[in-house]
Amino acid sequence: MTARVAVVGGGIAGLAAAWELTGGAAGPHAASPEVVVLEAGERFGGKLRTEPFEGEPVDVGPDGFLGRRPEAAELCRELGLEDELVPIGASGAAVWARGQRRALPAGLYMGIPTRFLPVARSGLLGARGTLRLLADVVLPRANRRPPPGDLALGPLVGARLGPEVVARLVDPLVGGIHAGGVEAMSSAAVLPLLLAAASQPTGLMRALRQASAMPVPSSARGARGGEGEQEPAFWALRHGMGSLTDRLVTGLGRRGVTLRTASPVELVDRRRGPAAPWVLHAPEGPVVADGMVLAVPAGAAATLLSPHDEDATRLLLGIEYASVAVVTMAYPTAAWPADLSGTGLLVPAGSPAPTSRGLDGSFLVTACTYLSTKWPHLARPDTFLVRASVGRDGDTRPDTLDDAALVSRVAAELRVLLGVAGSPAASSVTRWPDAFPQYRVHHLLRVAGIESAVSRLPAVAVAGSAYRGVGIPACIGGGRAAARTVLEALGTR
């Protein structure tokens, strides 16, 4: 009798799980289970969302994915999207520091300096911060202890390279990726290479430079990376990241997968005996399943698992989330400053906004992306596209502003940060409540506990950004790994 697996959640992790459950690249085979995908919202794709903006498709969620990780590029190849991949069209970025834009120096590893001179010449640090960084070269703090299990990322870097490096480089970059501060962020979950480098009996910059110079394994090459070929740092899709979702949904439909939107799972019952052990209660009626992949946020997974495993529920409820919003704007090209280059600007948390320009408090904007230069397929002759990110863990100010007020505030800040003239000709606001899980210290221990607890349940696995990475490749890899776990439990892999 054919087994049935229910995938709860139709984001990229859930859809990738369904793809793997139905055979992955090879396609379904005789033992492949029947698959049902239940999505609570009105659309599939989760944070992968592409919308028309000024007549062209523009991403309002993630606008690309990392080239050094293979999972997303491999899935694009399996779906026939290889020719739609577009490499990033610019390099370099700037950071707002000491009251002006300053180019990010060379030799950074995720915002952490690996060389002294480029940072010293950048003007990012004051005299005290520069001397503090120099101490890592001339008076390195040897650490002969074995690598610790985990440490907070910000304090670890600050103790070795100084607080200014953390505030003006590490937190804007790493904290911006996760929409949270690095003062309590897990090094093991976010930058494991940093922990290894910090345990070496040399300066941190030297150890990190040597560790990060290791060649990329062949297994990490993306869709077009061949032997000796340099992989682009990031890829996008010509018609937006939503086209990956669309192609997945189409492919899964052809494989006979049942795909339901507006179908929230309200309760999961567990049966005893030889019959299929799970009953998922959804608006269209109950779904009986032999196995489940829960590809939903941690809180939702906790609710569904609460009648079945106390440990999993408690650990899942300990994962906190941050909310963000994305403001996409179109400016006349003539209004865009000619001296802006690279892919965008980072704004450190708490950077004071000038009251002389009619702004109060600190900047709301955490990052700006120059879409028209970052992605060549978005370039237009008379219009320049930019998007600004606002909000992060602990900063709920965007939630207090309606869309019009938020656009007005962001436009005013861009006049200061970028020197852009006037107001945008068009704009849109996309809000992402509780979108970014916060990886606190010992996050991986929490995840290991969740996975261990869930493994006690028959043919159940979890997937998504809450566990082992927030990027698109990590979510795809996590979804496919969860699917393999369920297949092994069912004996159908």
Side-chain angles (χ1 to χ4, degrees):
M1 185 174 180
T2 302
R4 175 185 287 177
V5 177
V7 177
V8 184
I12 187 60
L15 295 177
W19 183 255
E20 187 71 13
L21 287 166
T22 55
H29 52 82
S32 293
E34 177 187 345
V35 178
V36 180
V37 179
L38 303 170
E39 164 57 39
E42 299 293 332
R43 48 173 288 276
F44 291 109
K47 300 179 189 69
L48 271 64
R49 183 171 165 187
T50 306
E51 294 185 347
F53 183 72
E54 292 295 278
E56 298 289 341
V58 175
D59 287 308
V60 295
D63 61 342
F65 57 84
L66 192 64
R68 287 174 65 91
R69 287 198 61 157
E71 297 95 335
E74 286 179 355
L75 182 58
C76 287
R77 182 172 60 246
E78 292 173 18
L79 294 167
L81 285 170
E82 184 174 2
D83 292 338
E84 296 293 313
L85 289 169
V86 180
I88 193 168
S91 61
V95 63
W96 184 263
R98 304 175 70 195
Q100 67 181 73
R101 294 189 311 275
R102 299 177 187 271
L104 287 174
L108 298 180
Y109 177 77
M110 294 299 292
I112 305 173
T114 65
R115 297 182 182 277
F116 169 74
L117 285 178
V119 179
R121 292 168 177 164
S122 70
L124 280 164
L125 309 179
R128 179 176 296 181
T130 302
L131 288 174
R132 182 67 183 80
L133 185 64
L134 180 61
D136 185 67
V137 179
V138 298
L139 297 170
R141 303 176 71 181
N143 184 355
R144 298 182 182 277
R145 295 175 299 171
D150 199 4
L151 290 172
L153 196 154
L156 173 58
V157 176
R160 302 291 292 271
L161 305 182
E164 285 189 43
V165 167
V166 176
R168 297 177 185 174
L169 285 170
V170 182
D171 191 68
L173 184 58
V174 181
I177 292 171
H178 293 264
V182 297
E183 64 276 358
M185 188 176 292
S186 165
S187 296
V190 176
L191 284 181
L193 198 63
L194 171 64
L195 281 178
S199 69
Q200 300 303 309
T202 64
L204 180 62
M205 288 191 290
R206 178 182 177 185
L208 193 57
R209 181 170 68 248
Q210 293 172 340
S212 61
M214 297 291 288
V216 179
S218 59
S219 60
R221 296 192 186 102
R224 300 178 188 171
E227 196 67 36
E229 184 178 345
Q230 182 66 36
E231 184 73 18
F234 290 92
W235 293 105
L237 285 166
R238 192 176 308 281
H239 298 289
M241 295 307 302
S243 63
L244 174 57
T245 298
D246 295 341
R247 188 65 66 91
L248 260 175
V249 169
T250 300
L252 291 171
R254 290 172 177 165
R255 293 182 173 191
V257 173
T258 301
L259 297 148
R260 298 181 185 173
T261 56
S263 187
V265 177
E266 300 154 352
L267 177 69
V268 174
D269 283 332
R270 183 176 176 184
R271 289 177 169 179
R272 304 292 178 178
W278 301 109
V279 181
L280 294 79
H281 296 274
E284 300 89 344
V287 175
V288 179
D290 300 280
M292 294 189 301
V293 174
L294 300 181
V296 291
T303 298
L304 297 178
L305 292 176
S306 60
H308 312 295
D309 194 283
E310 182 180 346
D311 292 337
T313 302
R314 174 177 49 81
L315 292 168
L316 284 163
L317 289 175
I319 298 177
E320 301 173 278
Y321 282 77
S323 301
V324 301
V326 172
V327 182
T328 307
M329 294 176 286
Y331 284 89
T333 301
W336 195 254
D339 63 339
L340 292 179
S341 60
T343 61
L345 174 72
L346 303 172
V347 184
S351 298
T355 56
S356 61
R357 302 290 294 272
L359 300 172
D360 60 329
S362 59
F363 284 111
L364 212 63
V365 171
T366 59
C368 306
T369 302
Y370 312 151
L371 294 175
S372 293
T373 53
K374 182 179 180 182
W375 302 117
H377 63 289
L378 295 179
R380 307 174 188 180
D382 301 319
T383 303
F384 197 96
L385 300 182
V386 61
R387 83 172 192 176
S389 300
V390 298
R392 59 185 279 161
D393 186 36
D395 185 1
T396 59
R397 291 177 295 165
D399 300 336
T400 67
L401 302 175
D402 62 22
D403 287 359
L406 186 57
V407 170
S408 177
R409 170 74 188 211
V410 168
E413 292 190 4
L414 295 195
R415 286 193 284 271
V416 175
L417 294 167
L418 305 181
V420 63
S423 299
S427 63
S428 72
V429 175
T430 308
R431 298 181 187 267
W432 295 105
D434 296 330
F436 282 83
Q438 299 301 295
Y439 289 5
R440 310 295 191 198
V441 175
H442 301 309
H443 175 77
L444 293 183
L445 285 178
R446 178 180 297 276
V447 171
I450 292 168
E451 293 171 344
S452 176
V454 169
S455 71
R456 298 194 292 255
L457 302 172
V460 179
V462 293
S465 62
Y467 306 108
R468 298 184 182 274
V470 300
I472 294 173
C475 290
I476 291 172
R480 299 185 81 154
R484 291 192 292 271
T485 297
V486 171
L487 290 174
E488 288 174 356
L490 295 175
T492 60
R493 186 179 175 189

